[in-house]
Amino acid sequence: LFLLQRELKIIDKLLKPIDKNLLTKKTLIDRTFAIEDDTRQFSINMVLEHLEIAGNKVKDVIEALSLEKEFEEEIKIENVKPKQNVENQYESFKKFYEEYILFIKSLDKKQSKKKKKHPWFIEFNNYDWSVFMFMHTFIHIRRIEAIIKELK
């Protein structure tokens, strides 16, 4: 959780000086590691929405695996793409991560035997999925930085 919380503080620091009107401006960025070509023209709010949608899915997976239950739903990249680009996305994003952190803190600290495959990687247990949340956020911070660079 420490690493994820650090990344969330970086997002706060990056967004603090940004004009709120620019958060919804779609901006084409250069190719970036682990970012699909068809998603290179996002706004900052779209990145935040993606992180929230994916985060909710990961939370559901972690919850099921922590109870040693199968997570039946197939996880697909296309199901976690942003759809709205709304003005208040940053507030929604922060609220989700506050709830996610409380959720993780409430779990027993044991790794599940049950696993669920990530669409790009191997099968993860509940702990692996929680580590993925940090890595996923880390990757998308680079995307937010690239958008900010293009906005200036």
Side-chain angles (χ1 to χ4, degrees), residues 19-150:
D19 181 326
K20 301 293 179 235
N21 295 320
L22 294 177
L23 295 176
T24 56
K25 184 175 181 185
K26 290 183 181 181
T27 306
L28 181 64
I29 61 169
D30 291 335
R31 286 189 168 153
T32 305
F33 172 73
I35 302 296
E36 300 160 314
D37 272 353
D38 68 333
T39 64
R40 287 176 37 225
Q41 189 163 4
F42 274 16
S43 69
I44 292 170
N45 277 356
M46 291 171 76
V47 176
L48 298 176
E49 181 185 356
H50 165 69
L51 287 169
E52 184 177 342
I53 293 168
N56 271 300
K57 188 62 64 187
V58 169
K59 181 178 175 277
D60 291 345
V61 171
I62 292 171
E63 185 170 27
L65 297 180
S66 295
L67 296 170
E68 295 298 346
K69 293 183 178 177
E70 291 287 333
F71 188 82
E72 299 290 335
E73 183 183 335
E74 182 182 357
I75 299 172
K76 297 180 179 179
I77 300 296
E78 59 267 23
N79 292 345
V80 295
K81 294 198 178 188
K83 298 164 183 60
Q84 297 181 41
N85 197 22
V86 295
E87 287 182 19
N88 66 340
Q89 183 59 53
Y90 187 42
E91 289 76 24
S92 178
F93 168 84
K94 289 195 296 190
K95 184 177 186 304
F96 164 75
Y97 274 93
E98 287 170 12
E99 292 168 2
Y100 175 81
I101 289 166
L102 290 174
F103 164 74
I104 292 296
K105 286 181 176 181
S106 75
L107 292 175
D108 289 335
K109 303 303 180 230
K110 63 175 186 159
Q111 293 190 28
S112 64
K113 291 178 178 60
K114 291 279 186 195
K115 295 181 178 185
K116 179 68 181 174
K117 185 177 180 335
H118 182 282
W120 283 6
F121 307 113
I122 59 171
E123 288 190 330
F124 293 162
N125 67 16
N126 60 348
Y127 176 78
D128 300 328
W129 278 103
S130 69
V131 172
F132 169 77
M133 279 289 279
F134 153 68
M135 290 303 301
H136 186 243
T137 305
F138 173 83
I139 288 166
H140 286 290
I141 284 175
R142 305 311 161 257
R143 179 186 225 169
I144 291 170
E145 289 171 332
I147 293 170
I148 291 170
K149 180 181 165 193
E150 292 300 322

Side-chain angles (χ1 to χ4, degrees), residues 1-16 90 93-94 101 137 141:
L1 266 186
F2 169 78
L3 293 174
L4 178 61
Q5 289 172 313
R6 183 189 70 190
E7 297 304 300
L8 296 173
K9 286 177 186 171
I10 291 170
I11 291 174
D12 276 338
K13 188 176 177 181
L14 286 170
L15 298 189
K16 196 168 270 187
Y90 187 42
F93 168 84
K94 289 195 296 190
I101 289 166
T137 305
I141 284 175

